[in-house]
Amino acid sequence: MARLADVSKTTVSYVINGTGYVSEERRTRIELAIARLGYRPNAFARGLRSSRVSTVGVVSADAADPFVARVTSGILAEAAARDIIVTVSVDSGPSSCPESGRVGARQTGEPLIYVTDNEFSAEAYATLAARHVVVLAGEGEHRLGRAAAAMIDPRPAAHDLATFVVSSGHTRVAIVTPARWSGKWSERAAGLRDGLIAAGIPWVGITTISAEVSVHGGRVAIEELFMVTPDLSLRPTAVLCVDDSVAIGVLQRSREVGLIVPDHLSVTGFGDTTPAQTTSPRLTTARLPAEEIGQAALEMLLRSADLGDKAIPARMIAASMVRGGSVRPPQLDTGTGMGVER
Amino acid sequence: MARLADVSKTTVSYVINGTGYVSEERRTRIELAIARLGYRPNAFARGLRSSRVSTVGVVSADAADPFVARVTSGILAEAAARDIIVTVSVDSGPSSCPESGRVGARQTGEPLIYVTDNEFSAEAYATLAARHVVVLAGEGEHRLGRAAAAMIDPRPAAHDLATFVVSSGHTRVAIVTPARWSGKWSERAAGLRDGLIAAGIPWVGITTISAEVSVHGGRVAIEELFMVTPDLSLRPTAVLCVDDSVAIGVLQRSREVGLIVPDHLSVTGFGDTTPAQTTSPRLTTARLPAEEIGQAALEMLLRSADLGDKAIPARMIAASMVRGGSVRPPQLDTGTGMGVER
DNA sequence: TTGTATGCGTTATCAC
DNA sequence: GTGATAACGCATACAA
């Protein structure tokens, strides 16, 4: 307690919070003591007394996931500016633990941000929302009723990618869509499709390949494309993938069969993940504004906690296109039958 | 307060903590109330009164860094098992903020784990250690005196990589070392060198290339190797890199000049990062036990907090080799002069 | 076996 | 202007 250095503790509280009147002399004396002791007020005890929000929790299924980590990082930056402490915990989910939806060491009442790379678990949300103010952070539309949410809107980026490919001169384009038509990926796929149509590609010009969303899925998908359209004059000259992993699989397999990207084939991904940033050529893809989502989520959470339980409109932040070298105008000499041989 | 549901709050405290004697009847009554209200004790308030450690802090320069995120994830897993709350904050460092070494919203006295992907900042550590029990988490040897630390030991993996390459039949090997001979990377490089020598490669068989640790650095390095040893019968048949990023650069540039990995050139990385996991062929590299480091760091921190300030020996956890397809015995027909042309 | 009193670090209220 | 004092949610020594 810094009050040993001078006078009373109420006065110390005053100077720290800027409230009340403190004489100039004591103020400097106290500030000096604070500096010398390196004193920092305990935010927990502070939140105990005052009803102000002093800590927020971040809960996810996997804190090591790159997307989750980036969102957390955004929350951290915003929280530091507001002097708010962030606690992180992992929701182990109903399966791994007998008590359903157990959330690790979570205190009652703490405002929470539930962030996921993928789909939100309805049960986890229900458990959380029962005792906390919760804001969702993720991508696309969530199916959790009127829950407050800060989400990434993949459509602008999808639109830009499609437009970019079409304006580069491609007229036969393939989209690799997820095998399971679910949340995040289906929205990306829909965005890409809509973008192509808006850019003037006729239905017959769009080939849709359903694949597992993974590197291997991408390899299988492009293989399938080679099989289905052996006629080079009909084969798509550009492949739009719903995820970077798929695009990397496409890149790999194409190269293995002798195709050069982007000369023989243009490829785009989605996510701007670390692997996609180091491909050669650099993948044209969509950047996910994860940090911004974290920041927005924290802002919403604080507003939401203040306002009680008034519904707050979901906030969408647009993903944006990142230009790489994996797209260029289709070449005429795609010929030589490459990509057909096993 | 759950005491509305039955009797007094001391009794509730007893049943929650397992201390004291509670009659069977009341115990079940209380447990029922707890379950129905979904009550969870507030760990902050708990830590306020009892001297037990109930919260630990994780501080890093960048919470979104994959390595840091993995360590944090390990801490989280261990903390959940012990019902400890984890707070995360970013040390913005002395440069970004006038008050030197400011650590975001950190409460005084909380035990801390300082984790970094790279070198520890001596000033940041000093600031932290002045008011907290601190355990370091990172890779290699730290230069911070007798500070408690859980660190990754890169040498076993380096040794295995070198041995694996040599036992595959390679006799002329190159090591790509960091331009700046600092901490983490220098230890990896030293480990690789020692491993090669231990495996029986003579000094003259080892080519050392100094490069920037990045994808681009890897490209430059391999280019340099081609220049320096145009004579194929003298050129190294395997390249050991101190980091995955470098290895990826080597992979890319090699392919661009027409070399096939691993037929014409074997390559190894270090780190087993996400990009390295998706190369084709899969990169042979070293896995960093980040989660284990996090777990060990938390254990050490708790012991350290209990023991007061007794020095705790540093704990090293070995990195291990991951076999990919990027290494195979050297082929005789490396010929054709490939890799020499611009 | 159970209730009461006290203190942890902080803010808010209200006398002085 | 300033300093007691209560209260926040919890653990604990002690009294009942």
Side-chain angles (χ1 to χ4, degrees):
Chain A
M1 268 310 217
R3 118 187 38 96
L4 302 178
D6 35 7
V7 280
S8 96
K9 61 181 176 181
T10 309
T11 323
V12 174
S13 178
Y14 280 159
V15 35
I16 288 179
N17 295 290
T19 48
Y21 304 89
V22 183
S23 72
E24 207 50 51
E25 183 225 341
R26 292 182 189 238
R27 155 164 285 126
T28 48
R29 196 143 47 106
I30 293 175
E31 279 171 349
L32 194 113
I34 289 180
R36 202 156 47 81
L37 269 64
Y39 172 81
R40 302 223 79 198
N42 184 322
F44 300 147
R46 177 179 268 171
L48 208 53
R49 183 70 179 114
S50 67
S51 54
R52 264 189 49 223
V53 169
S54 64
T55 74
V56 302
V58 176
V59 23
S60 67
D62 176 16
D65 177 274
F67 178 77
V68 174
R70 283 182 58 208
V71 173
T72 305
S73 183
I75 296 173
L76 250 33
E78 185 66 17
R82 297 171 186 260
D83 241 73
I84 286 177
I85 287 197
V86 177
T87 69
V88 176
S89 62
V90 173
D91 177 21
S92 43
S95 51
S96 69
C97 198
E99 15 168 354
S100 68
R102 167 176 156 71
V103 176
R106 198 106 303 298
Q107 85 170 299
T108 17
E110 185 179 35
L112 253 38
I113 298 177
Y114 176 23
V115 32
T116 178
D117 178 29
N118 210 307
E119 279 173 272
F120 294 98
S121 148
E123 331 156 55
Y125 176 71
T127 320
L128 259 32
R131 277 187 296 288
H132 305 265
V133 177
V134 179
V135 167
L136 268 29
E139 181 184 340
E141 307 263 347
H142 64 85
R143 309 253 168 271
L144 261 34
R146 306 187 316 131
M151 308 287 279
I152 289 176
D153 184 0
R155 282 162 197 274
H159 184 270
D160 288 354
L161 285 167
T163 305
F164 180 51
V165 165
V166 172
S167 66
S168 293
H170 296 272
T171 52
R172 298 186 309 280
V173 182
I175 304 182
V176 182
T177 63
R180 220 177 109 241
W181 195 259
S182 67
K184 182 173 80 168
W185 285 312
S186 62
E187 289 195 49
R188 292 181 182 177
L192 291 170
R193 174 180 31 85
D194 295 351
L196 286 179
I197 292 173
I201 298 284
W203 279 97
V204 294
I206 304 178
T207 307
T208 301
I209 312 166
S210 166
E212 180 201 335
V213 180
S214 67
V215 175
H216 181 252
R219 300 177 65 101
V220 173
I222 194 69
E223 196 76 43
E224 196 179 316
L225 183 68
F226 295 155
M227 305 289 257
V228 170
T229 53
D231 185 349
L232 283 177
S233 63
L234 293 177
R235 184 184 295 176
T237 54
V239 179
L240 273 39
C241 306
V242 289
D243 194 69
D244 281 349
S245 59
V246 174
I248 287 174
V250 169
L251 245 39
Q252 285 181 3
R253 189 68 197 137
S254 301
R255 187 157 43 213
E256 284 169 17
V257 299
L259 290 176
I260 294 176
V261 173
D263 296 357
H264 301 145
L265 187 71
S266 288
V267 179
T268 71
F270 215 108
D272 197 27
T273 54
T274 329
Q277 290 164 7
T278 56
T279 58
S280 168
R282 167 65 152 102
L283 194 61
T284 295
T285 183
R287 193 191 102 87
L288 270 25
E291 289 84 0
E292 291 87 332
I293 285 291
Q295 178 182 338
L298 181 54
E299 283 169 358
M300 290 183 62
L301 187 62
L302 296 180
R303 266 205 307 147
S304 198
D306 279 352
L307 265 53
D309 251 339
K310 296 229 178 59
I312 288 197
R315 178 140 164 228
M316 303 290 277
I317 300 182
S320 57
M321 181 174 72
V322 178
R323 283 199 199 197
S326 66
V327 173
R328 57 174 287 191
Q331 308 300 100
L332 295 179
D333 62 337
T334 322
T336 76
M338 283 187 295
V340 187
E341 77 273 29
R342 266 259 90 195
Chain B
M1 264 314 212
R3 117 187 45 97
L4 302 177
D6 34 6
V7 281
S8 96
K9 62 179 177 181
T10 310
T11 324
V12 174
S13 179
Y14 280 159
V15 35
I16 288 179
N17 294 291
T19 47
Y21 303 88
V22 183
S23 72
E24 206 51 51
E25 185 224 340
R26 293 182 188 240
R27 156 164 284 126
T28 48
R29 197 140 49 104
I30 293 174
E31 278 170 349
L32 194 114
I34 289 179
R36 202 155 49 79
L37 268 65
Y39 174 82
R40 304 223 78 196
N42 184 322
F44 299 147
R46 176 180 267 170
L48 210 53
R49 182 74 175 102
S50 68
S51 55
R52 264 190 46 226
V53 171
S54 64
T55 73
V56 301
V58 176
V59 24
S60 66
D62 176 16
D65 177 273
F67 178 77
V68 174
R70 284 182 59 207
V71 173
T72 306
S73 184
I75 295 172
L76 250 32
E78 185 67 18
R82 297 172 185 259
D83 241 73
I84 287 177
I85 288 196
V86 177
T87 69
V88 176
S89 61
V90 173
D91 176 22
S92 41
S95 52
S96 68
C97 199
E99 15 168 352
S100 69
R102 167 176 156 70
V103 176
R106 198 106 303 297
Q107 83 170 300
T108 17
E110 185 181 36
L112 254 38
I113 298 177
Y114 175 23
V115 31
T116 178
D117 178 30
N118 211 306
E119 279 172 271
F120 295 98
S121 150
E123 332 157 54
Y125 176 72
T127 319
L128 260 31
R131 277 186 297 288
H132 306 264
V133 178
V134 180
V135 168
L136 268 29
E139 181 183 339
E141 306 264 346
H142 64 85
R143 309 254 168 272
L144 263 33
R146 306 189 315 132
M151 308 287 278
I152 290 175
D153 184 0
R155 281 162 197 274
H159 184 268
D160 288 353
L161 286 166
T163 306
F164 179 51
V165 165
V166 172
S167 66
S168 293
H170 296 273
T171 52
R172 299 187 307 281
V173 182
I175 303 182
V176 182
T177 62
R180 220 178 107 240
W181 195 259
S182 68
K184 182 173 80 168
W185 286 311
S186 63
E187 288 195 50
R188 293 182 182 175
L192 291 169
R193 175 181 31 84
D194 295 351
L196 286 178
I197 292 172
I201 298 284
W203 280 97
V204 294
I206 304 179
T207 307
T208 301
I209 313 166
S210 166
E212 180 200 334
V213 181
S214 66
V215 175
H216 182 253
R219 301 175 65 102
V220 173
I222 193 68
E223 195 76 43
E224 196 179 315
L225 183 68
F226 295 154
M227 306 289 257
V228 170
T229 53
D231 185 349
L232 283 178
S233 63
L234 294 177
R235 184 183 294 175
T237 55
V239 180
L240 272 39
C241 306
V242 289
D243 194 68
D244 282 349
S245 59
V246 175
I248 287 174
V250 169
L251 245 38
Q252 285 180 3
R253 190 66 197 137
S254 301
R255 186 158 43 214
E256 285 169 16
V257 299
L259 290 176
I260 294 177
V261 173
D263 296 357
H264 301 145
L265 187 71
S266 288
V267 180
T268 71
F270 215 108
D272 196 28
T273 54
T274 329
Q277 289 164 7
T278 56
T279 58
S280 168
R282 167 67 152 99
L283 195 60
T284 295
T285 184
R287 192 191 102 88
L288 271 24
E291 289 85 359
E292 290 88 332
I293 286 291
Q295 178 183 337
L298 182 53
E299 284 169 359
M300 290 182 62
L301 187 62
L302 296 181
R303 266 205 306 150
S304 198
D306 278 353
L307 265 54
D309 252 338
K310 297 230 175 59
I312 288 199
R315 178 140 166 231
M316 302 289 277
I317 301 183
S320 57
M321 181 174 70
V322 177
R323 283 199 199 197
S326 66
V327 174
R328 56 174 288 191
Q331 308 300 101
L332 295 178
D333 63 337
T334 322
T336 77
M338 283 187 295
V340 185
E341 77 272 29
R342 264 261 85 195

